[in-house]
Amino acid sequence: MKQRIITGVIAGGAFLGMLIAGGYYYAALILIMAIIGYYEYIRMFGLQNFRITSIIGLLLLLWLAIPWEMDAFSLGIELKMDAVLWMAMFILLTITVTSKNKFVIDQAAAVFLGAVYIGFGFHYMISTRLLETGGLFYTFLLFICIWSTDAGAYFVGSKFGKTPLWPTISPKKSIEGAVGGIIISVIAALCFAWFNPELLSYGKAVGIGVIIGIIGQLGDLIQSAYKRVKGIKDTGTILPGHGGVLDRVDSWLIVFPFIHWIGILMQ
């Protein structure tokens, strides 16, 4: 527990410092985390020996993670995301042929899915911070609601949890804890609305709090599901007492893209 607290304070402080600094500092940190998370994923799926395909997946991840549409990263060219995705898929499938099935379709699918899953998740962490209006405010809003969901689910579940939420995936989670997480997330969002009602109305705060409370816990369950299949507890050891990068960002990877795609921040 002591190690966990020390790691949490140091890593959390560094992360918040970069988040407040914003710009290239925050973007660089997020991209480094994305790369580490990707290699945790590759190792977890036993793909580290397929160097060429791992590099292709990494390049796809970086292409997806960097918010090229933002002025700070603009290349001055028209980006066609569907073409990039299709070409990466095509190359990976071609390698299954040229390798004579030493690299098979299941592995190609795992590399492609990992790059998309991790790449898009980190992309929206960067692009949220780079919003011209309220970038820091909205980024803090999403992170605080995610962390509030985790804390609420843990403490409410520990004290009142009796009904298993999804025992085959995560035996310790309870329905009572899940509901508690949603409620705490809503309370956190309402605090942001009180602090700056011009950027966040109370009605929107409730909506965002509920969505993050639900989707954030689903993101946690998604990672629990594939870690259970692989028979591991943590995806890595880079954060002593906390596991790997993917262990810390399971909810982030789902919440940030989802919130953006439903358009609720800018409504």
Side-chain angles (χ1 to χ4, degrees), residues 1 26 32 52 99 124 136 148 155 160 163 167 175 216 222 246:
M1 179 58 70
Y26 175 67
I32 291 171
I52 294 177
S99 70
Y124 285 101
L136 182 60
S148 296
F155 287 110
F160 302 106
T163 311
I175 292 177
I222 287 171
L246 287 183

Side-chain angles (χ1 to χ4, degrees), residues 40-107:
E40 290 176 353
Y41 176 92
I42 289 296
R43 185 174 59 250
M44 179 171 49
F45 279 82
L47 298 168
Q48 63 269 32
N49 294 327
F50 298 96
R51 294 183 180 179
I52 294 177
T53 54
S54 294
I55 291 173
I56 292 170
L58 176 61
L59 293 176
L60 174 60
L61 176 142
L62 290 173
W63 182 268
L64 296 175
I66 296 173
W68 301 108
E69 72 278 8
M70 300 291 184
D71 290 340
F73 296 92
S74 177
L75 294 178
I77 60 175
E78 182 181 355
L79 301 176
K80 295 184 178 179
M81 193 61 69
D82 55 347
V84 174
L85 289 169
W86 188 90
M87 185 56 68
M89 178 195 70
F90 172 70
I91 293 172
L92 289 170
L93 292 177
T94 299
I95 293 174
T96 66
V97 177
T98 58
S99 70
K100 299 179 181 179
N101 267 341
K102 291 180 181 177
F103 178 73
V104 298
I105 183 67
D106 294 4
Q107 294 164 325

